[in-house]
Amino acid sequence: LFHDNKPSRRTMYKAMTIFRKYCMGPNPISIQILSDQSQNFRQGLVNYQNEFYSVDLPVMCIHGNHDDPSREGSELYAALDILDCANLVNYIGRQDQINQIQISP
């Protein structure tokens, strides 16, 4: 999603504003996730199935080479983790160790 693995606060603010404006709303979603969501999504399910959010356009972000998480204390976080935590995107395939990649399903 971002070219830099640490986008500026302004970039994050703008991205979050755009996602809220164009992706949130009351319209029904016509796609279905068939895999085990608890294994593939950190929040446990896709954002449009969360009863507390109203999503018009679900955005799926796949972990890429520009999304390397940075260490924050003992935890690793990427910009996509923040967007995922805010239920603005669905972050798939996050990898903390590049020498032990696991993909499900």
Side-chain angles (χ1 to χ4, degrees):
L1 182 64
F2 301 107
H3 179 68
D4 296 321
N5 72 337
K6 289 185 182 180
S8 69
R9 289 184 196 149
R10 180 180 186 278
T11 300
M12 286 296 291
Y13 175 82
K14 290 287 191 179
M16 293 174 90
T17 301
I18 290 168
F19 280 120
R20 287 184 60 172
K21 182 176 181 180
Y22 294 105
C23 298
M24 302 311 228
N27 294 321
I29 304 299
S30 59
I31 62 170
Q32 181 181 6
I33 303 296
L34 299 176
S35 64
D36 182 357
Q37 293 184 39
S38 64
Q39 273 190 333
N40 298 309
F41 299 97
R42 291 185 94 184
Q43 302 297 324
L45 72 160
V46 290
N47 64 354
Y48 65 87
Q49 290 185 337
N50 185 323
E51 64 182 300
F52 300 109
Y53 289 89
S54 184
V55 177
D56 260 358
L57 178 65
V59 176
M60 305 295 177
C61 295
I62 302 170
H63 182 87
N65 65 327
H66 289 271
D67 302 314
D68 294 334
S70 299
R71 189 160 303 281
E72 206 52 52
S74 63
E75 303 268 341
L76 292 170
Y77 295 106
L80 288 177
D81 287 309
I82 296 168
L83 296 176
D84 181 53
C85 182
N87 278 318
L88 297 172
V89 302
N90 299 288
Y91 188 16
I92 304 167
R94 183 178 189 271
Q95 301 294 321
D96 294 335
Q97 298 178 357
I98 60 170
N99 57 351
Q100 295 178 353
I101 295 175
Q102 296 180 355
I103 300 172
S104 173

